[in-house]
Amino acid sequence: MTTTTAEQRLRTRDIQPTAMRIRVLNFMIENKSAVSLTDLEEHLSRADRTTLYRTLKTFLEHGMVHQINDASGTAKYALCSENCTCSYPDDVHLHFYCNSCEQTYCFPHLGIPKYDLPESFIPSHGNFVVTGQCPSCPS
Ligand SMILES: [Zn+2]
Ligand SMILES: [Zn+2]
């Protein structure tokens, strides 16, 4: 993925394309699985945790990424698809957490069933995680 494409993707979400934001976005595009703050810190040299945290926060606020709370206890972030508005239930989808390699995979095409919640329960967000073993890990 070229810088121009990352830059365009940021602009579509009304995010000012700074060098750091482009780096973070490109890393997330290249990575098959969801990333944590620590993953970013380990892979992007000369980037401090606070800046990376702020970058993720900006991405979250602008609907560029969504947060996944998997069984690892660490928040992970995956890129939103272009027409995603992070709304419930249409943009809620399945995530798979591998117990062996602790990677989390985002499956935007696997939506969740529409539930009829009991009266007066007002949903605003969904976090759907299935755990198990991924194809990269030997069974
Ligand atoms: Zn695995
Ligand atoms: Zn996802």
Side-chain angles (χ1 to χ4, degrees):
M1 190 78 56
T2 64
T3 304
T4 323
T5 315
E7 206 176 307
Q8 275 163 0
R9 276 182 81 155
L10 289 166
R11 285 194 200 279
T12 354
R13 293 284 184 180
D14 283 324
I15 303 169
Q16 196 60 38
T18 61
M20 178 58 73
R21 288 168 182 168
I22 291 169
R23 282 180 76 196
V24 172
L25 180 57
N26 274 327
F27 177 72
M28 292 188 77
I29 291 167
E30 282 157 24
N31 222 57
K32 307 191 298 298
S33 51
V35 304
S36 66
L37 184 55
T38 308
D39 291 332
L40 291 176
E41 210 180 5
E42 280 169 8
H43 290 92
L44 304 176
S45 55
R46 285 184 293 135
D48 69 276
R49 205 173 166 88
T50 315
T51 311
L52 291 169
Y53 175 75
R54 283 207 207 103
T55 306
L56 282 174
K57 209 166 159 245
T58 306
F59 282 9
L60 266 180
E61 283 164 3
H62 289 258
M64 189 79 201
V65 300
H66 52 283
Q67 186 176 324
I68 308 153
N69 301 308
D70 60 26
S72 69
T74 306
K76 294 203 183 135
Y77 305 86
L79 286 173
C80 286
S81 43
E82 250 148 88
N83 50 2
C84 172
T85 56
C86 294
S87 59
Y88 180 94
D90 295 335
D91 289 315
V92 180
H93 50 263
L94 189 142
H95 294 106
F96 189 94
Y97 174 75
C98 175
N99 288 315
S100 301
C101 63
E102 302 182 333
Q103 295 297 310
T104 296
Y105 300 84
C106 173
F107 293 113
H109 57 291
L110 301 177
I112 58 157
K114 292 190 178 162
Y115 297 102
D116 283 323
L117 285 164
E119 210 185 331
S120 302
F121 284 83
I122 305 155
S124 59
H125 180 73
N127 190 59
F128 188 29
V129 180
V130 172
T131 62
Q133 199 150 31
C134 82
S136 313
C137 290
S139 48

